[in-house]
Amino acid sequence: LHAHGQYSSAAVAYERALAATPKDAGLLYLLGTALASDGKHALAIDALRRSLAERPSSAAARLRLGDSLLVSGDLAVAAKEYVA
């Protein structure tokens, strides 16, 4: 679904998968990217922060978080994420 641009449906699928494994950093990252691609940056920020809490070394999650923070207008925090 995600690969075919069906971001809302992909997010629902990721949420369902997370019910079984709520701390799966990979699923949280995918959820965050689907939400961001769907324009739901506030929700994406939450998912990406949860992903980073589980896997702090994820550069991809940190960059996506920075992107969503930037779009949301939180420039100072976005800059910190990009630097990190």
Side-chain angles (χ1 to χ4, degrees):
L1 296 169
H2 195 152
H4 294 284
Q6 296 179 19
Y7 304 120
S8 291
S9 297
V12 170
Y14 295 139
E15 293 271 2
R16 287 184 184 161
L18 282 164
T21 57
K23 294 188 177 212
D24 185 316
L27 281 173
L28 288 164
Y29 169 74
L30 290 171
L31 173 61
T33 60
L35 290 167
S37 295
D38 202 26
K40 298 175 182 172
H41 293 283
L43 295 172
I45 289 167
D46 178 60
L48 292 165
R49 283 185 171 149
R50 289 172 46 209
S51 176
L52 283 167
E54 299 303 321
R55 189 182 304 150
S57 63
S58 175
R62 195 161 303 280
L63 288 171
R64 283 289 193 150
L65 176 57
D67 292 346
S68 284
L69 288 164
L70 185 65
V71 170
S72 296
D74 201 343
L75 305 179
V77 179
K80 288 179 184 177
E81 291 300 330
Y82 288 134
V83 169

